[in-house]
Amino acid sequence: MSATAPGPAGPEVPARYVLRKLPHVTLLFWILKIIAVTLGETAGDLFGITLQVGYVATALIFLVFFLVVVVAQVRAKRFHSALFWAVVLGTSMVGTEISDLSNRGFGHGSAQNGIGYAWGAVLLTSLLAIVFLVWWRTGQTYDVENIASRKGEILYWVAILVSNTLGTSSGDWLSDDTGLGFRNAFFIIAGVMVAIVAAHYLTNINGTLLFWVAFVLTRPLGAAGGDSLTKPTDEGGLGWGTLWGSVALLALLIVLIVYQVVQLRRHPLEPLPYPLNRLTGEPQRPNGAVLAAASHSSGSTSGGTDPANAPGSPIGEPTERG
């Protein structure tokens, strides 16, 4: 079998695979995602309200953190668990501040000086729909387990940032404006999540659609969950406060990231095929290190395979290039 494939500039090059930059969607993925976005909610309240840093200053601090980690993630050649979840955390923290600034203004209540939770949720839902429309028209795959192009990964992070911002607005709306309270809102969203899981296993509904619906809902789930931990008992919370709630969530996040790293060392992520545009079939710029397929008969590789990221392949052992 030929070991050549189209390269980013058009001519054929001995490249067939790209190292994965995004993890598989497993139960651990969802647990880490919920913890990360919940921490983003409590950390935002810790800086913005408890420490009285203010929404604008807090938003700038979180924005700098997010830009640093997302640039590092996009430039990375392979999946790094701590870096990936740092970006998810960054989107949650920035999303919390963007939502609070637009919905609350500089006050601490819905629409005191802002547009209110309901309008914030409507506008952000529209923005997320636009992001997915652009995503579709660019020809990138919606399947987050098979994103191997630079453009696809950038769109992925834009969608996550908008969805986490939307989650803050919708979670606040459900908890405050409807009168349900934090705990009841949490249970309602959790029930919807259970229904999505059932739909995944019991129906033929498109898995990618279910993924993105669940991904959006985990943010209000985390927002309601974070409020349940930190708010006073007379407001329906457990009274942990933003400081201790954030500390507990950060510790749990670190423990699970370490666990994921250990698991990936035992079961490395397999590389992806070289990315092609879904609409035109043209080769795309890869988002990870490019791998070449070595010949069965060569008995050697030309670029030094990383044993933690290059599992065996039926057409030969992948060899990293560049």
Side-chain angles (χ1 to χ4, degrees), residues 52-267:
Q52 297 184 343
V53 175
Y55 290 134
V56 175
T58 300
L60 291 175
I61 293 171
F62 289 169
L63 179 62
V64 170
F65 171 79
F66 167 69
L67 291 176
V68 169
V69 294
V70 76
V71 169
Q73 164 68 25
V74 172
R75 291 174 61 88
K77 298 300 183 182
R78 66 193 70 209
F79 175 71
H80 298 283
S81 181
L83 182 58
F84 176 87
W85 293 111
V87 182
V88 175
L89 174 61
T91 63
S92 179
M93 294 190 299
V94 171
T96 296
E97 298 310 307
I98 293 175
S99 174
D100 288 345
L101 276 171
S102 60
N103 298 342
R104 304 174 182 175
F106 294 94
H108 297 329
S110 176
Q112 284 189 359
N113 296 292
I115 62 176
Y117 298 139
W119 278 112
V122 170
L123 292 177
L124 288 165
T125 300
S126 301
L127 180 58
L128 186 60
I130 292 172
V131 171
F132 284 126
L133 177 61
V134 172
W135 192 331
W136 176 262
R137 292 182 65 86
T138 60
Q140 308 302 311
T141 178
Y142 274 143
D143 187 350
V144 297
E145 289 196 334
N146 290 304
I147 293 176
S149 69
R150 174 67 62 85
K151 184 180 293 185
E153 185 181 356
I154 291 173
L155 287 167
Y156 172 83
W157 289 118
V158 171
I160 288 179
L161 177 60
V162 176
S163 69
N164 283 338
T165 307
L166 168 61
T168 302
S169 291
S170 56
D172 287 339
W173 171 79
L174 191 62
S175 299
D176 292 348
D177 288 4
T178 64
L180 286 172
F182 306 116
R183 290 185 182 178
N184 290 335
F186 176 86
F187 290 135
I188 287 176
I189 300 170
V192 175
M193 293 290 293
V194 171
I196 292 174
V197 172
H200 173 70
Y201 287 105
L202 301 177
T203 72
N204 294 324
I205 298 176
N206 183 272
T208 300
L209 174 62
L210 291 176
F211 169 86
W212 281 111
V213 173
F215 201 94
V216 170
L217 287 177
T218 53
R219 184 61 185 90
L221 182 71
D227 287 337
S228 296
L229 292 177
T230 62
K231 297 297 183 181
T233 54
D234 58 354
E235 294 182 17
L238 296 179
W240 287 15
T242 56
L243 175 59
W244 291 112
S246 298
V247 169
L249 289 167
L250 178 60
L252 182 57
L253 183 65
I254 292 173
V255 169
L256 290 177
I257 287 174
V258 171
Y259 173 77
Q260 185 177 54
V261 170
V262 173
Q263 290 296 103
L264 289 175
R265 289 186 181 276
R266 295 174 179 174
H267 307 285

Side-chain angles (χ1 to χ4, degrees), residues 3-63:
T4 62
E12 289 191 343
V13 296
R16 188 176 292 273
Y17 303 103
V18 177
L19 289 182
R20 287 182 184 267
K21 295 282 297 297
L22 308 175
H24 289 299
V25 180
T26 62
L27 177 60
L28 179 61
F29 173 92
W30 290 114
I31 293 173
L32 279 163
K33 204 278 184 174
I34 293 172
I35 294 172
V37 297
T38 306
L39 176 58
E41 172 75 14
T42 60
D45 289 342
L46 173 63
F47 279 77
I49 300 176
T50 304
L51 300 179
Q52 297 184 343
V53 175
Y55 290 134
V56 175
T58 300
L60 291 175
I61 293 171
F62 289 169
L63 179 62

